Amino acid sequence: MPYDTSFRLLRHLVCSLVLLATFAAPAVAEPVRCEDPTFLVDDAGFGLVDRICLTASVAQRLLDECGLTIERPVTLLIRPDLGDDYPRCSGVFHCEDDLAEVLPPEEMWLGLEAASPFRVLSAETYFDSVVVHELAHAAAEHTLRAGATSRADMEYIAYAMQIESLPAKARAALRAEWPVQVPVPQERMNDFVLSFVPHRFALLAWTHFDTEGNGCAFIEELLTGDATLALPALGIE
């Protein structure tokens, strides 16, 4: 997920990195508040309000288990076109506005790279997981303490929650499509891998998260700064 050059600015604009095409955007309507008032949805007439509200509630419970709290209302907006600034994104979270924008399910899935392991998922299942991914960004931003000093730190959290939210059969299909050797060393998850092979980073992050001794405890370490996936400085002056 691309960030701006300074990390403070990076945290204001985050998106899930999967190579996608662009589509034309419909008019924006007033958001509908979910039964859980933390979430507001503008589905641009795609009939996705109920699905998104249900997914958001499921995400809330999953995030809570890792101490990730959505402390302010978040708006989820469906847009068939995320604009020229995000040609490789299926979703983007604007931290300052607490706004998540995502593509509709079919457009999102059709835009996946041919090599993406996420193509084994149905369009609806993949869409739900991206909603969770963007809400994980919101929760990490709201919960952030001293840590998360790199893109990789924040994306580890978002991808781990995204894949963890999938049904067991879907996670097994991803494992089969792109096996990852365990244990996953932290050095294999970094900004370089994230930038050039984001789906690889996603599966490395979740496999690491799913390994005994990591899980929510490692996310806590990222949030506090006790751990980081930032690449080491080269020491060149």
Side-chain angles (χ1 to χ4, degrees):
M1 298 189 178
Y3 287 75
D4 292 302
T5 48
S6 73
F7 186 68
R8 174 143 185 92
L9 292 176
L10 300 181
R11 287 171 41 216
H12 290 262
L13 216 44
V14 288
C15 72
S16 44
L17 277 177
V18 283
L19 298 178
L20 301 170
T22 5
F23 306 84
V28 176
E30 285 297 316
V32 175
R33 192 173 295 275
C34 296
E35 183 176 345
D36 182 338
T38 306
F39 306 109
L40 297 93
V41 177
D42 177 359
D43 72 346
F46 281 91
L48 294 167
V49 171
D50 290 344
R51 182 177 201 97
I52 294 171
C53 287
L54 177 60
T55 300
S57 293
V58 171
Q60 179 89 289
R61 292 193 292 272
L62 179 64
L63 294 166
D64 283 346
E65 290 176 5
C66 277
L68 293 160
T69 305
I70 297 177
E71 298 177 346
R72 302 183 296 274
V74 173
T75 300
L76 297 113
L77 172 64
I78 301 299
R79 290 190 57 193
D81 178 3
L82 297 179
D84 294 340
D85 290 338
Y86 313 108
R88 304 177 65 206
C89 299
S90 57
V92 58
F93 180 68
H94 304 272
C95 301
E96 289 184 319
D97 299 321
D98 286 319
L99 171 67
E101 296 177 301
V102 296
L103 294 172
E106 198 65 23
E107 284 87 340
M108 188 183 287
W109 190 89
L110 288 173
L112 285 168
E113 284 186 293
S116 173
F118 288 106
R119 291 184 69 88
V120 302
L121 307 178
S122 70
E124 292 76 14
T125 298
Y126 179 61
F127 173 82
D128 292 345
S129 77
V130 171
V131 170
V132 174
H133 183 115
E134 301 308 333
L135 291 176
H137 275 305
E141 174 67 19
H142 294 180
T143 311
L144 188 63
R145 292 181 278 283
T149 58
S150 75
R151 292 173 54 208
D153 292 345
M154 297 294 274
E155 294 304 334
Y156 176 100
I157 295 169
Y159 277 123
M161 294 293 95
Q162 176 180 355
I163 298 177
E164 185 67 14
S165 73
L166 292 170
K169 287 185 177 180
R171 292 198 302 270
L174 280 177
R175 280 189 190 274
E177 186 70 12
W178 199 309
V180 174
Q181 185 175 358
V182 292
V184 177
Q186 285 184 218
E187 305 80 61
R188 293 182 65 193
M189 302 176 291
N190 54 56
D191 290 331
F192 184 84
V193 176
L194 174 62
S195 295
F196 289 95
V197 200
H199 54 259
R200 178 65 170 174
F201 179 92
L203 292 173
L204 287 170
W206 176 73
T207 303
H208 180 273
F209 173 85
D210 191 53
T211 302
E212 186 176 357
N214 296 327
C216 295
F218 186 72
I219 287 179
E220 173 68 14
E221 290 179 9
L222 291 176
L223 291 171
T224 59
D226 292 331
T228 183
L229 302 177
L231 287 166
L234 295 178
I236 300 175
E237 297 184 1

